[in-house]
Amino acid sequence: MYHILVVDDEARIRSIIKKYAEFEGHSVTEAGDGMEAVRLCRKEKYDIVIMDIMMPELDGFSACREIRKVTDTPIIMLSARGEEYDKINGFELGIDDYVVKPFSPKELMLRIEAIMKRMSRKAPEETKKSPNVIVEIDGGGLKVDLTARLVYVRGERVDMSPKEYDLFFYMIENRNVALSREKLISEVWGYDFYGDARTLDTHVKLLRKSLGEYSKYIVTIRGVGYRFEGDDK
């Protein structure tokens, strides 16, 4: 199945995750701090990394930053805190999911499976050779290359986290359509909606920041979700 790297300074947490992961047929490598995790990722390829934030030697954020220099392996961040700052910081670094302690091991396994399924769906799509699909909004002021996963604002390339790209491209592909929070979570994150709409809202906030003046096209629909309002021009 999957080779999982579990990074946490608490042996009990690593043991719980390992127990459930091995029960599902996965193999697990453990690391007790961020420094060790970085060393392991530089030497070996993992299918997914589950990593705590607060650790000795090197915290989870710093470790994630170093790991991203050598691999785009999916990362799920664990934290005893559910503060928005932690989520924003992690998502800006390119993590794929964020789980607050205490967590359900079963739910964690479902999230791992959902992330890996999403990765496997992307792989064949990326190998297809076809003309780039480009969407231009406001006379080309906002240019979105869906094929190359590139976004330009007034000719300047905008760098986003992987999840921001996923969310934005889904909204672009479904522009002028009201998208519920449940629909966005299901389609972009790939797992059943667990009730934490703050993860989605945090990504929308980051996305609006990245788009600058074009953030106005992402409209909040009270009690429902969001809609990208913009026609090709």
Side-chain angles (χ1 to χ4, degrees), residues 148-179:
R149 288 175 68 84
L150 297 173
V151 178
Y152 298 89
V153 171
R154 298 296 182 189
E156 294 291 327
R157 181 174 169 179
V158 178
D159 289 323
M160 300 180 182
S161 69
K163 193 56 62 182
E164 278 182 84
Y165 281 120
D166 291 343
L167 176 60
F168 184 45
F169 292 160
Y170 185 76
M171 296 178 81
I172 285 289
E173 290 169 346
N174 294 276
R175 51 194 177 280
N176 299 313
V177 175
L179 301 169

Side-chain angles (χ1 to χ4, degrees), residues 185-209:
I185 287 285
S186 175
E187 295 295 331
V188 178
W189 273 260
Y191 52 78
D192 291 336
F193 185 63
Y194 290 107
D196 186 7
R198 290 175 298 177
T199 295
L200 170 62
D201 295 337
T202 298
H203 275 86
V204 171
K205 182 182 294 186
L206 289 171
L207 183 54
R208 282 172 167 159
K209 180 181 177 182

